[in-house]
């Protein structure tokens, strides 16, 4: 049965945060000195499997696993195995790529075919400045390996003025050369990024104008609840823009989010939701109505909670 919120939006996607912990320290995502949830507060693999299976029977069609960094969760394999038993229309993972290479055979066997890797720079030194990690090469290699193994791979790159906005053409070349779609994200006013926003924000319109100066951008159709709008170029690049700030997609948003501790929430920008831990499955229809009723109709301006805690 399709799920609809009180405003008629078809709710069909679920983001599941496996942990708020991460092995990177992206300056825009995680505040200095962040403390992570103790492991005993996190949903167990069984709880995650049970909750997600229940939500699928109620109409959720697609699932994407995220974090923090999902691959650092010690029970990552067990959780993915449980999620793979549920008949999703689409099963995906969002990762920083550091531990990805070793996970690829498992992900292929489990049918988790849609992998988004965050890579904000193609320059090793800048990558280190942005993420606090010295392992650019490892992430780069994992992306190419995933592509070679037949995964649907997308690279997500946030564009920051004065840091990596000069790399727009290089990302286009990367996409054309490797056949990997690159999606350029606008910096959102979330957590530590709020303080960076005035200085660093670049609107998708500007990115398109700058890219369009050298390569004609040919529009590509995307689903109406897609968060990005896409283009291809004559040289074979495929790019998309996630313009959450300048062109919010709230009117067509189809997402719910499950936090690592079990809170079901309806919006990235709102920390309200309902705790699912310990709740009876028979209560789920009522809980879902309650959560969907909390879904804002328009874009909230900002959220102070950091992205690694929200589950990006
Ligand atoms: N650790 C994984 C990763 O980096 O892909 C998954 C979690 S991360 C929070 C998910 C995505 O959120 C990443 O692509 C990251 O770039 C994005 N993100 C984090 N903070 C953001 C912000 N303020 N604006 C836009 N995107 C943001
Ligand atoms: Fe970690 Fe992803 Fe946040 Fe970077 S964006 S600190 S990789 S959770």
């Amino acid at each position: 049965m399709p799920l609809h919120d009180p405003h008629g939006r078809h709710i069909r996607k679920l983001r599941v945060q496996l942990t708020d912990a991460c092995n990177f320290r992206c300056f825009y995502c995680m505040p200095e000195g962040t403390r992570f949830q103790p492991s005993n507060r996190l949903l167990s693999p069984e709880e995650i499997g049970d909750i997600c299976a229940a939500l699928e029977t109620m109409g959720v069609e697609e699932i994407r696993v995220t974090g923090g960094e999902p691959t650092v969760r010690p029970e990552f394999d067990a959780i993915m195995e449980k999620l793979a038993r549920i008949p999703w229309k689409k099963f995906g993972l969002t990762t920083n790529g550091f531990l990805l290479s070793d996970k690829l055979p498992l992900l292929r066997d489990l049918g988790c075919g849609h992998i988004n890797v965050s890579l904000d720079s193609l320059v090793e030194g800048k990558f280190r400045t942005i993420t606090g990690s010295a392992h650019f090469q490892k992430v780069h290699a994992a992306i190419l390996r995933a592509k070679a193994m037949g995964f649907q791979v997308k690279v997500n790159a946030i564009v920051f003025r004065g840091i990596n906005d000069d790399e727009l053409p290089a990302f286009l070349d990367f996409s054309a050369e490797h056949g990997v779609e690159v999606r350029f994200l606008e910096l959102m006013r979330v957590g530590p990024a709020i303080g960076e926003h005035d200085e660093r924000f670049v609107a998708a319109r500007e990115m398109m104008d700058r890219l369009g100066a050298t390569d004609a951008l040919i529009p590509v159709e995307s689903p109406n609840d897609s968060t990005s709008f896409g283009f291809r170029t004559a040289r074979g690049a495929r790019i998309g823009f996630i313009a959450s700030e300048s062109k919010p997609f709230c009117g067509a948003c189809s997402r719910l989010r499950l936090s690592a501790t079990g809170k079901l929430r309806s919006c990235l920008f709102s920390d309200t939701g309902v705790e699912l831990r310990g709740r009876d499955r028979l209560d789920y229809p009522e809980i879902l109505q309650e959560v969907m009723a909390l879904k804002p109709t328009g874009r909230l301006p900002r959220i102070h909670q950091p992205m690694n805690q929200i589950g990006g």
Side-chain angles (χ1 to χ4, degrees):
M1 255 260 290
L3 272 180
H4 286 100
D5 77 5
H7 301 280
R9 288 172 292 191
H10 182 192
I11 304 300
R12 59 183 205 90
K13 298 184 182 176
L14 179 68
R15 287 254 163 156
V16 179
Q17 181 200 35
L18 299 198
T19 176
D20 58 336
C22 187
N23 43 3
F24 285 10
R25 291 290 179 276
C26 301
F27 75 90
Y28 53 84
C29 177
M30 214 183 273
E32 300 264 322
T34 294
R35 292 242 178 105
F36 301 124
Q37 295 282 357
S39 53
N40 63 2
R41 285 217 57 217
L42 305 182
L43 294 174
S44 68
E46 291 71 27
E47 286 173 312
I48 295 173
D50 288 349
I51 290 172
C52 292
L55 294 174
E56 190 276 334
T57 61
M58 298 187 62
V60 173
E61 300 171 348
E62 298 185 5
I63 187 171
R64 176 164 290 280
V65 169
T66 183
E69 172 50 39
T71 58
V72 304
R73 176 93 192 245
E75 306 97 332
F76 176 79
D77 295 7
I79 294 169
M80 296 304 274
E81 277 161 17
K82 293 208 180 299
L83 294 176
R85 291 186 203 136
I86 303 166
W88 308 110
K89 288 192 178 159
K90 190 166 161 186
F91 181 19
L93 169 72
T94 298
T95 174
N96 63 27
F98 178 69
L99 295 172
L100 178 61
S101 239
D102 290 348
K103 299 292 181 193
L104 288 172
L106 172 83
L107 295 171
R108 183 184 52 195
D109 294 347
L110 295 178
C112 178
H114 299 262
I115 302 182
N116 293 352
V117 185
S118 304
L119 181 68
D120 296 328
S121 178
L122 294 165
V123 179
E124 198 155 358
K126 270 195 226 179
F127 176 87
R128 184 179 315 192
T129 306
I130 294 170
T131 63
S133 163
H135 296 285
F136 167 79
Q137 292 298 347
K138 202 171 163 181
V139 175
H140 191 265
I143 292 168
L144 300 191
R145 182 163 183 227
K147 175 71 188 165
M149 284 174 68
F151 287 91
Q152 300 267 337
V153 191
K154 290 180 186 167
V155 161
N156 284 342
I158 304 180
V159 178
F160 305 98
R161 189 174 307 285
I163 299 181
N164 64 353
D165 57 333
D166 59 335
E167 290 188 62
L168 285 161
F171 274 110
L172 204 70
D173 293 345
F174 173 89
S175 174
E177 184 181 348
H178 299 295
V180 171
E181 181 175 342
V182 175
R183 298 186 314 170
F184 299 109
L185 279 68
E186 288 183 352
L187 182 65
M188 296 186 287
R189 290 185 178 85
V190 176
I194 296 172
E196 303 284 336
H197 208 262
D198 286 353
E199 188 182 357
R200 301 294 178 199
F201 175 74
V202 182
R205 181 71 257 168
E206 178 182 334
M207 300 178 209
M208 288 164 65
D209 288 346
R210 287 168 69 171
L211 285 165
T214 51
D215 289 77
L217 304 183
I218 305 153
V220 175
E221 282 280 317
S222 39
N224 79 330
D225 65 344
S226 174
T227 54
S228 70
F229 47 97
F231 299 87
R232 60 186 176 82
T233 70
R235 289 192 292 135
R238 282 176 299 130
I239 58 170
F241 298 91
I242 303 185
S244 173
E245 294 283 327
S246 68
K247 208 166 171 266
F249 28 80
C250 307
C253 181
S254 58
R255 279 191 195 162
L256 294 175
R257 295 171 179 272
L258 178 66
S259 82
T261 56
K263 187 195 256 187
L264 188 66
R265 64 197 259 178
S266 60
C267 177
L268 191 158
F269 283 89
S270 169
D271 190 23
T272 52
V274 175
E275 300 292 342
L276 288 184
R277 191 169 228 174
R279 295 295 298 265
D280 194 303
R281 266 201 190 203
L282 294 174
D283 296 338
Y284 274 38
E286 201 179 311
I287 293 170
L288 268 178
Q289 292 309 320
E290 193 182 332
V291 173
M292 290 192 301
L294 291 169
K295 200 168 177 62
T297 48
R299 175 67 148 71
L300 302 176
R302 65 183 60 77
I303 180 166
H304 290 278
Q305 189 180 28
M307 191 66 137
N308 71 301
Q309 288 179 18
I310 297 171

